[in-house]
């Protein structure tokens, strides 16, 4: 697993589930969010999402799911092409259905075009607020000229009322969109023959957590329906489905358990992992968690021993080989890491992250004979997965060690772009372009970086 910043700007806007107040569009780069890259988790989420996308009539390649390294239970869609999911969603979810319900809800926002409509609603609310403020200012002016403090005070109150009405109008609109997304999620689950029980479990959790505070909350001053209200509205509909009591396939539950263990182990203190998976727990998920802890501790031998046991149980699981390679690489044995990474790539040749790991191990092995192959493998991996700063970093090293300085500068520029460092990327792209053949593919790639301008955010 590796963390990576990304360069694209985003409107981190409303359509975020389980938030108690409206989230206004703000300018942010992906690099401002603590993102996580993990091939296994991303593959699982894609498998959760694909049937939902199909049921919603959304092309399978349209929406990219992006993992956020935050243990809070939250997910949001800033636009029609990206869905951000906190790792906390997976860590808290005991069953696949709980995560699938979240994805279905967010897909409801995308399919319903709620984000564009929300921007229009926000614009309308802003207009209402401005009208209220203008009316208030006018009343204040009249009151001042007439010498009437009471009228002046009334004008200020009118301005405040206008702003308050605008806010409530927007919040009311957003609550309606949340309810619409809930109903859409039920429809998608029904169409795909899946139970909504996991989705209800998620809503029930939040209803219980908010039971006390919700008692005194103003339901018209929050952007989402109160959790218990949402739960009651959904439960009656969900239980009518013939799939309500249908559990997730055992194979999917097993994958879910492994990913939960992996994420917990990579993001928590070893003692936390040990409490969750005590030595008495002999499950595959527990073994996986212990292997990750050993990897984090740079104990390559201990990690490899546990992983070899996992491989004997699932010899065709590419993620076990990936973890073994990572354990060996991070414990200072890159040459031994090459073979496990190569095996992982052979089991899943369409996973770019495996190729990037393999190229990384080859470069780190400090064997000049491997550099040309490492370069080819890294380029292939980056072609499949272009959001890997580590991949570009290793490609730059491979080029540099072969005396290809212009290409090394270009790879560095591309890596900086993937991290969101536009100024640094332009600096290295300029250096690269001076020594590249004009009109060549590499020259054009450098020119793309130099001519790139961040998109202007809509207000």
């Amino acid at each position: 697993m590796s963390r990576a910043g990304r360069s694209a700007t985003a409107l981190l806007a409303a359509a975020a589930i389980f938030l108690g107040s409206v989230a206004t569009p703000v300018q942010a780069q992906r690099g401002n969010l603590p993102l996580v890259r993990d091939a296994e988790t991303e593959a699982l989420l894609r498998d959760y999402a694909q049937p939902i996308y199909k049921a919603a009539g959304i092309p399978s390649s349209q929406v990219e799911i992006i993992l956020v390294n935050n243990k809070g239970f939250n997910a949001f869609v800033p636009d029609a092409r990206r869905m951000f999911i906190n790792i906390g969603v997976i860590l808290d979810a005991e069953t696949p259905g709980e995560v699938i319900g979240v994805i279905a809800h967010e897909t409801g926002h995308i399919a319903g075009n709620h984000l564009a409509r929300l921007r229009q609603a926000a614009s309308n609310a802003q207009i209402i607020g401005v009208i209220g403020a203008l009316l208030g200012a006018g009343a204040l002016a009249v009151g001042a000229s007439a010498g009437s403090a009471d009228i002046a005070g009334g004008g200020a109150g009118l301005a405040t009322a206008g702003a308050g009405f605008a806010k409530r109008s927007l919040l009311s609109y957003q609550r309606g969109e949340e309810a619409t997304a809930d109903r859409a999620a039920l429809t998608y689950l029904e169409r795909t023959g899946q139970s909504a029980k996991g989705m209800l479990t998620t809503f029930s959790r939040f209803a219980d957590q908010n039971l006390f505070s919700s008692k005194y909350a103003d339901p018209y001053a929050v952007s989402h329906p109160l959790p218990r209200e949402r739960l009651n509205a959904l439960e009656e509909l969900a239980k009518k489905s013939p799939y309500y009591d249908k559990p997730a396939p055992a194979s999917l539950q097993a994958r879910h358990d492994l990913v939960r263990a992996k994420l917990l182990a990579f993001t928590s203190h070893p003692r936390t992992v040990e409490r969750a998976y005590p030595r008495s727990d002999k499950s595959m998920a527990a073994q996986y968690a212990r292997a990750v802890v050993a990897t984090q501790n740079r104990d390559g031998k201990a990690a490899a021993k546990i992983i070899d046991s996992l491989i004997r149980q699932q010899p065709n699981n590419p993620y076990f080989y990936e973890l073994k390679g990572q354990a060996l690489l991070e414990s200072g044995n890159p040459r031994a890491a090459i073979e496990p990474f190569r095996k992982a790539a052979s089991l899943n040749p369409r996973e770019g992250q495996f190729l990037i790991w393999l190229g990384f191990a080859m470069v780190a092995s400090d064997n000049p004979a491997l550099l040309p192959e490492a370069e080819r493998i890294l380029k292939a991996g980056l072609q499949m997965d272009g959001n890997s700063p580590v991949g570009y970093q290793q490609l730059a090293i491979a080029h540099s060690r072969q005396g290809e300085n212009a290409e090394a500068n270009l790879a560095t520029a591309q890596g900086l772009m993937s991290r969101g460092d536009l100024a640094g990327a332009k600096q290295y792209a300029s250096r690269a372009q001076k020594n590249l053949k004009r009109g060549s593919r590499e020259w054009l790639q450098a020119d793309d970086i130099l001519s790139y301008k961040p998109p202007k955010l809509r207000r």
Side-chain angles (χ1 to χ4, degrees):
M1 176 181 296
S2 59
R3 298 180 185 176
R6 305 202 182 182
S7 60
T9 57
L11 286 175
L12 304 183
I17 64 171
F18 311 131
L19 295 181
S21 59
V22 65
T24 54
V26 295
Q27 184 172 2
Q29 290 188 340
R30 283 184 176 184
N32 291 340
L33 286 173
L35 304 185
V36 176
R37 297 302 312 281
D38 178 61
E40 184 175 15
T41 306
E42 291 170 9
L44 179 64
L45 292 176
R46 283 195 300 269
D47 287 347
Y48 285 164
Q50 292 306 321
I52 299 296
Y53 294 162
K54 185 176 181 180
I58 295 174
S60 60
S61 60
Q62 175 180 316
V63 184
E64 177 188 11
I65 296 181
I66 302 165
L67 278 171
V68 181
N69 188 20
N70 187 311
K71 292 183 179 179
F73 196 109
N74 196 22
F76 59 91
V77 286
D79 52 41
R81 295 192 172 276
R82 285 166 295 174
M83 183 184 298
F84 290 80
I85 297 180
N86 285 7
I87 62 170
V89 171
I90 303 170
L91 292 175
D92 284 357
E94 295 184 0
T95 65
E98 294 169 55
V99 180
I100 294 169
V102 171
I103 292 172
H105 174 94
E106 296 303 324
T107 302
H109 283 303
I110 294 172
N113 200 27
H114 292 175
L115 294 156
R117 290 161 59 185
L118 177 64
R119 279 190 284 267
Q120 183 60 49
S123 177
N124 293 340
Q126 188 176 33
I127 291 170
I128 293 171
V130 169
I131 291 172
L134 289 174
L135 288 173
L140 179 61
V142 171
S145 63
S148 172
D150 288 340
I151 295 177
L158 183 57
T160 303
F165 179 72
K167 179 180 178 182
R168 283 174 176 264
S169 296
L170 179 59
L171 294 176
S172 176
Y173 173 83
Q174 194 179 1
R175 285 194 304 274
E177 297 291 40
E178 290 299 322
T180 300
D182 291 343
R183 291 192 295 270
L186 289 180
T187 299
Y188 305 149
L189 293 169
E190 179 83 12
R191 289 176 183 173
T192 55
Q194 299 183 87
S195 171
K197 188 176 291 187
M199 182 176 173
L200 293 178
T201 298
T202 295
F203 276 76
S204 180
R205 180 186 301 122
F206 281 88
D208 292 341
Q209 289 176 358
N210 292 321
L211 185 60
F212 180 79
S213 59
S214 296
K215 181 178 179 181
Y216 302 101
D218 177 356
Y220 298 100
V222 295
S223 63
H224 293 57
L226 295 176
R228 179 57 64 182
E229 179 185 336
R230 290 173 80 176
L231 178 63
N232 293 339
L234 290 173
E235 192 168 18
E236 183 177 354
L237 292 173
K239 288 185 174 180
K240 293 178 181 178
S241 170
Y243 309 110
Y244 183 72
D245 290 317
K246 179 182 176 181
S251 59
L252 200 62
Q253 181 68 57
R255 289 176 62 193
H256 182 85
D257 293 343
L258 287 175
V259 165
R260 284 185 77 204
K262 183 180 193 178
L263 289 177
L264 180 69
F266 265 118
T267 61
S268 305
H269 191 278
R271 290 180 182 175
T272 301
V273 180
E274 187 174 355
R275 285 194 295 271
Y277 299 98
R279 292 291 170 181
S280 58
D281 188 344
K282 305 300 182 183
S283 68
M284 188 171 288
Q287 295 174 60
Y288 205 22
R290 287 191 278 272
V292 171
V293 170
T295 298
Q296 294 283 80
N297 291 337
R298 303 291 192 270
D299 192 343
K301 289 184 178 180
K305 182 178 180 180
I306 302 172
I307 299 167
D308 283 341
S309 174
L310 291 169
I311 289 172
R312 285 192 291 271
Q313 298 172 69
Q314 289 189 5
N316 293 320
N317 188 326
Y319 306 109
F320 291 164
Y321 294 98
E322 179 196 27
L323 183 61
K324 182 176 181 179
Q326 184 177 352
L328 292 168
L329 179 64
E330 295 187 359
S331 64
N333 195 354
R335 292 188 182 186
I338 292 174
E339 190 54 38
F341 285 138
R342 199 185 293 277
K343 179 66 175 178
S346 70
L347 289 169
N348 188 355
R350 299 176 64 182
E351 178 50 68
Q353 292 184 58
F354 291 165
L355 295 176
I356 290 169
W357 275 121
L358 175 57
F360 189 166
M362 288 179 166
V363 171
S365 68
D366 204 23
N367 183 351
L370 293 176
L371 290 175
E373 184 184 5
E375 179 186 328
R376 291 193 300 272
I377 287 172
L378 286 166
K379 287 181 177 178
L382 289 166
Q383 188 70 27
M384 298 177 193
D385 188 338
N387 291 316
S388 174
V390 171
Y392 287 114
Q393 178 192 57
Q394 296 304 310
L395 180 59
I397 295 171
H399 279 305
S400 180
R401 289 181 181 175
Q402 296 177 91
E404 300 164 351
N405 294 327
E407 290 82 357
N409 284 329
L410 175 59
T412 301
Q414 292 169 319
L416 290 170
M417 275 291 286
S418 71
R419 291 183 187 275
D421 183 355
L422 182 57
K426 286 181 179 290
Q427 180 181 357
Y428 276 92
S430 178
R431 293 182 190 176
Q433 197 176 54
K434 291 177 182 177
N435 295 293
L436 291 168
K437 183 179 178 181
R438 186 177 185 84
S440 66
R441 184 170 65 91
E442 290 78 9
W443 188 94
L444 292 172
Q445 288 174 339
D447 199 58
D448 286 342
I449 294 174
L450 290 170
S451 60
Y452 176 80
K453 294 181 180 178
K456 292 183 179 180
L457 294 173
R458 295 176 60 186
R459 294 184 181 273

